[in-house]
Amino acid sequence: MRIAMVSEHASPLAAVGSVDAGGQNVHVAALSTALAAQGHDVTVYTRRDAAALPHRVAFGAGVEVVNVDAGPAMRVPKDELLPYIPQLADGIADDWARRGVPDVVHSHFWMSGLAALGAVESMPLAHVPTVHTFHALGVVKRRFQGAADTSPIARQWLEPHVGSRVAAIVATSQDEVRELSDQGIAEGKVHVVPCGVDPAAFSARGGSAARSARYRLLSVGRLVPRKGVDIVIDALARLDRDGMDAELVVLGSSGGAAETAGALDDPEISRLADSAAAAGVADRVRFTGQIDQAALPRWYRSADAVVCTPWYEPFGIVPLEAMACGVPVVAAAVGGLQDTVVDGVTGLLVPPFDADATAAALTKVLTDTALSAELSRAGRARVRENYTWTRVARDTARVYEQLVDAGAPASVAEPAWGGASR
Ligand code: UDP
């Protein structure tokens, strides 16, 4: 199949681990690569965010990235991208007009859904079924972030509009299925396919980052408040009070995608460092800034436990990477983490926003070596069985094939959103 991916802010070419570059970039890059390895032809459309980028870039065998001119050729926060989406839709449609329409288009994040629908609707004679993955839902973000949510107000109606217009939705967790159903989206068009991990890159075998005899806890992710690193710092302070000699290493940044500057130049790192000082554990928390994917397995393997205590989490690739590396996970029981981490089997789940429970679970994992070894073994097995990108790509392609075979309508009829202006 000829597959078009649309990922407006999250390019496979970007370095991940900063404010707007994380799981979606990894997902689009890995899914596209795995689909290509299964014989499909994949083009990823993203917004040009640097002047020097070529229009088309080969991204491994069978995958091309097209940098579409839509708004300034520089990094723009994703919450400011909506005005440029019609231009992105036009750029995609232009490419299809020149090179032929794809068999299916799969958009990622709500604004990409608008761009994909706009491109499809501007070619009424073509038949291009639309598949969408939300990655995050505005309604959940607003629930937890309230006034701090900087999403454009129009997300409140445009996101459900995407959900009702597309031919199929690939949700990444059961929790997302419930949220979509609460929004009135027909369950019949929602398919659950999780995110994945590359077990060749993330494995228990290989070197590890230097460490001392202290227990090492690891937090990995884009540094945004909702990732709940404050809760891990509080849990560390409790371990400290209980006399456990432990440290926390925090990987990731809140700066630009290409940021490699000194970690403490980062405002979110400064805020968290202040929290660590206030909790009396400043000397036990280390911030590395953004770390490249290729260097991450060494960090995972150096840890005794990986801790993920987000306020909410649409999927959460980090626990999969930890499990693939054989490191026990302690995670808040929210969103996709409830699917990936089987409590007591591949990790320990704790109630959200609960530093005491997090500390208690960590104490168990750190002190019970038999439990830790068993979680490690079961985590690796679970990832191999359910969460390889190869499997994710196969299951996603099955959704595409059903639509193509059924000759499904490109999108469900309903008055068009402005869409492409051509
Ligand atoms: N990541 C990275 N370098 C960092 C921090 C994070 O490569 O310094 C990657 C991490 O390995 C994972 C992704 O960013 O693959 C985060 O994905 P996740 O689904 O956990 O969170 P999201 O970014 O989608 O909120």
Side-chain angles (χ1 to χ4, degrees), residues 16-18 21-24 26 202 220-222 226-227 251-253 289-293 296 300 313 315-319 321:
V16 291
S18 64
Q24 184 177 329
V26 171
F202 291 89
V220 180
R222 298 177 297 121
R226 71 107 170 150
K227 289 288 179 180
L251 273 54
S253 87
Q290 185 267 336
I291 300 283
D292 285 342
Q293 280 269 292
L296 278 176
Y300 280 115
E313 191 60 89
F315 181 78
I317 294 179
V318 164
E321 293 171 347

Side-chain angles (χ1 to χ4, degrees), residues 101-382:
V101 291
D103 297 308
V104 64
V105 57
H106 185 171
S107 47
H108 300 261
F109 202 60
W110 67 281
M111 287 180 287
S112 301
L114 294 174
L117 288 168
V120 166
E121 282 156 13
S122 71
M123 316 194 105
L125 297 182
H127 170 73
V128 188
T130 48
V131 177
H132 184 72
T133 296
F134 284 100
H135 289 273
L137 289 172
V139 68
V140 177
K141 187 174 188 190
R142 188 138 283 246
R143 191 180 304 147
F144 285 94
Q145 300 203 7
D149 179 6
T150 52
S151 304
I153 201 82
R155 182 175 185 180
Q156 288 176 33
W157 58 90
L158 290 177
E159 190 168 83
H161 169 87
V162 169
S164 59
R165 292 297 305 270
V166 293
I169 293 172
V170 172
T172 55
S173 70
Q174 295 299 341
D175 192 55
E176 188 183 343
V177 174
R178 280 189 289 278
E179 293 285 352
L180 291 170
S181 158
D182 289 350
Q183 290 185 33
I185 301 217
E187 280 183 32
K189 73 173 179 186
V190 181
H191 306 258
V192 180
V193 184
C195 295
V197 68
D198 175 1
F202 291 89
S203 88
R205 253 179 269 143
S208 60
R211 57 167 285 175
S212 67
R214 276 183 175 163
Y215 292 121
R216 173 171 287 178
L217 315 177
L218 197 69
S219 163
V220 180
R222 298 177 297 121
L223 281 192
V224 288
R226 71 107 170 150
K227 289 288 179 180
V229 178
D230 312 66
I231 298 162
V232 188
I233 290 172
D234 283 351
L236 176 71
R238 282 162 171 76
L239 293 182
D240 195 42
R241 282 200 291 279
D242 291 347
M244 304 237 343
D245 191 16
E247 65 176 9
L248 168 66
V249 183
V250 182
L251 273 54
S253 87
S254 72
E259 168 164 333
T260 50
L264 286 171
D265 295 344
D266 185 302
E268 182 64 3
I269 290 178
S270 303
R271 190 186 72 76
L272 290 168
D274 289 347
S275 302
V281 288
D283 61 330
R284 281 159 189 267
V285 183
R286 171 175 165 202
F287 299 92
T288 67
Q290 185 267 336
I291 300 283
D292 285 342
Q293 280 269 292
L296 278 176
R298 291 175 58 82
W299 282 101
Y300 280 115
R301 286 190 291 256
S302 77
D304 296 296
V306 167
V307 200
C308 308
T309 51
W311 305 349
Y312 61 94
E313 191 60 89
F315 181 78
I317 294 179
V318 164
L320 289 188
E321 293 171 347
M323 285 194 263
C325 291
V327 185
V329 180
V330 170
V334 296
L337 305 183
Q338 298 165 102
D339 294 355
T340 49
V341 180
V342 182
D343 189 30
V345 179
T346 68
L348 298 182
L349 287 175
V350 294
F353 299 101
D354 193 336
D356 280 335
T358 306
L362 284 168
T363 303
K364 247 195 232 170
V365 168
L366 297 179
T367 55
D368 186 340
T369 47
L371 171 70
S372 169
E374 183 47 29
L375 297 177
S376 163
R377 190 205 58 75
R380 274 178 288 150
R382 181 160 174 79

